[in-house]
Amino acid sequence: MTYVPAPGYQPTYNPTLPYNKPIPGGLSVGMSIYIQGVASEHMKRFSVNFMVGQGSGSDIAFHFNPRFDGWDKVVFNAQQGGQWGKEEKIRSMPFHKGTPFELVFMVMAEHYKVVVNGNPFYEFGHRIPLQMVTHLQVDGDLELQSINFIGGQPAPSHTPMVTPAYPGPGGSYQPPLSSLPTMEGPPTFNPPVPFVGRLQGGLTARKTIIIKGYVPPTGKSFTINFKVGSTGDLALHINPRMDEGAVVRNSCLNGSWGSEDRKLSYNPFGCGQFFDLSVRCGLDRFKVFANGQHLFDFSHRLSSFQKVDMLEIQGDVTLSYVQI
């Protein structure tokens, strides 16, 4: 079975280090790069470089460099013509040894916005035109789980979101409820839970929904529902139960629950873990992938699956990205 990513969503799972590969379509305003991984127990430093070219002597438009050296800090810089520029740094360390993290670089018109575990961390002004950046390089004392390029190659019907909705320092972002019914295509960053999104025109075959999130260390359960708004029917109910170590799938039609599916070859939903879920609607079933691996199929019990027009997510989960 083939994993087909959503338009404008280019994932790589379990990449090896050092990572040094082209950025799909090149860097552009509105693009976001998600890096999920685990900081090494013996971490001293790691780096993320936005490169102008792939070679060792290439210019570095943005060098992001956390250092555990007794004076824990994160260093930011750029390198042109073999010379480092003026160093910027923060004496604050958002990464913890042996702990999973999610690092996001959001490409803005004037700067790179760095977000760590959902919290805005730093803004680094462009010193080299972002259009010149061709490669991403990652290396150091960490284990990579995934690198996702989002928004770089949207399909013609999808409009890239130029100003992503991350909360500013000291504030939290709450999307206006009036925007929910028309949300279609453009991703939503860091949406609050409970989350409600509307699938304009209903669920269509070959449509893919992307959900990236984090299960808190004390999380017990959360649900993802593909719902018919007019009747309340649930065509697909996904219920990870961390306290049971289970992922329950079911449907609820005409007020009656069907038979549960529980069998899985692996469970990607662990306390304190990030996940990347892709739900693809086929003609006869939902095909669900987690972290790039096939997780389960769920045959359609609601034959008129096109009536599904709502996505609901609630419970013990933090969302970092949803694309409907």
Side-chain angles (χ1 to χ4, degrees):
M1 184 174 295
T2 327
Y3 172 61
V4 181
Y9 186 81
Q10 306 290 329
T12 303
Y13 297 100
N14 302 312
T16 54
L17 292 174
Y19 176 94
N20 188 356
K21 292 190 177 179
I23 295 170
L27 211 58
S28 57
V29 171
M31 190 175 199
S32 294
I33 296 91
Y34 280 71
I35 300 175
Q36 292 180 341
V38 180
S40 165
E41 291 278 4
H42 310 289
M43 174 177 277
K44 292 183 178 177
R45 62 176 60 194
F46 74 89
S47 63
V48 179
N49 293 320
F50 289 80
M51 308 287 295
V52 181
Q54 192 169 18
S56 57
S58 299
D59 285 353
I60 302 173
F62 179 27
H63 170 72
F64 176 85
N65 181 208
R67 300 177 185 175
F68 288 88
D69 54 6
W71 298 85
D72 293 354
K73 59 184 173 288
V74 180
V75 172
F76 316 87
N77 210 334
Q79 186 182 71
Q80 299 182 67
Q83 300 293 315
W84 286 106
K86 183 183 178 185
E87 191 174 88
E88 303 174 30
K89 61 188 169 188
I90 294 184
R91 290 198 181 278
S92 171
M93 180 55 69
F95 304 96
H96 304 282
K97 295 180 180 182
T99 304
F101 65 83
E102 180 177 68
L103 173 61
V104 183
F105 296 94
M106 308 175 75
V107 183
M108 319 295 274
E110 293 83 24
H111 54 257
Y112 297 90
K113 182 170 184 176
V114 183
V115 179
V116 184
N117 297 334
N119 300 309
F121 183 67
Y122 197 73
E123 293 176 356
F124 182 82
H126 295 302
R127 301 183 190 178
I128 294 176
L130 63 93
Q131 293 82 1
M132 295 176 66
V133 175
T134 60
H135 286 72
L136 183 73
Q137 185 183 82
V138 184
D139 201 7
D141 305 324
L142 74 164
E143 176 188 330
L144 286 177
Q145 294 174 340
S146 69
I147 295 180
N148 295 324
F149 299 95
I150 296 173
Q153 296 174 309
S157 60
H158 290 248
T159 308
M161 193 171 184
V162 175
T163 310
Y166 259 112
S172 61
Y173 172 77
Q174 295 290 335
L177 291 176
S178 60
S179 72
L180 290 176
T182 56
M183 189 173 66
E184 168 79 359
T188 304
F189 297 88
N190 263 25
V193 176
F195 171 88
V196 179
R198 190 169 291 279
L199 285 75
Q200 195 120 19
L203 193 61
T204 54
R206 295 185 295 280
K207 186 169 185 62
T208 300
I209 287 87
I210 301 289
I211 302 166
K212 290 174 68 66
Y214 173 73
V215 178
T218 56
K220 294 181 179 178
S221 169
F222 70 94
T223 58
I224 300 170
N225 290 325
F226 288 81
K227 183 175 180 179
V228 180
S230 59
T231 65
D233 283 351
L234 304 182
L236 172 58
H237 167 79
I238 305 173
N239 178 208
R241 300 177 186 175
M242 284 67 74
D243 50 354
E244 296 180 26
V247 181
V248 176
R249 291 90 68 194
N250 208 337
S251 62
C252 184
L253 307 178
N254 301 315
S256 297
W257 286 99
S259 57
E260 289 186 349
D261 289 353
R262 284 178 172 247
K263 189 176 179 181
L264 284 179
S265 56
Y266 71 105
N267 185 347
F269 303 105
C271 292
Q273 295 291 317
F274 292 94
F275 64 86
D276 181 347
L277 201 65
S278 167
V279 182
R280 184 171 172 82
C281 180
L283 288 170
D284 59 350
R285 72 192 71 185
F286 290 96
K287 297 178 182 180
V288 180
F289 295 78
N291 306 331
Q293 299 180 56
H294 180 246
L295 185 62
F296 64 83
D297 286 358
F298 187 86
S299 297
H300 287 312
R301 299 179 183 176
L302 177 69
S303 55
S304 53
F305 61 84
Q306 297 87 351
K307 291 182 179 178
V308 171
D309 58 357
M310 295 180 72
L311 174 67
E312 294 181 339
I313 305 172
Q314 53 195 356
D316 303 328
V317 65
T318 301
L319 298 173
S320 59
Y321 173 89
V322 177
Q323 182 171 16
I324 293 181

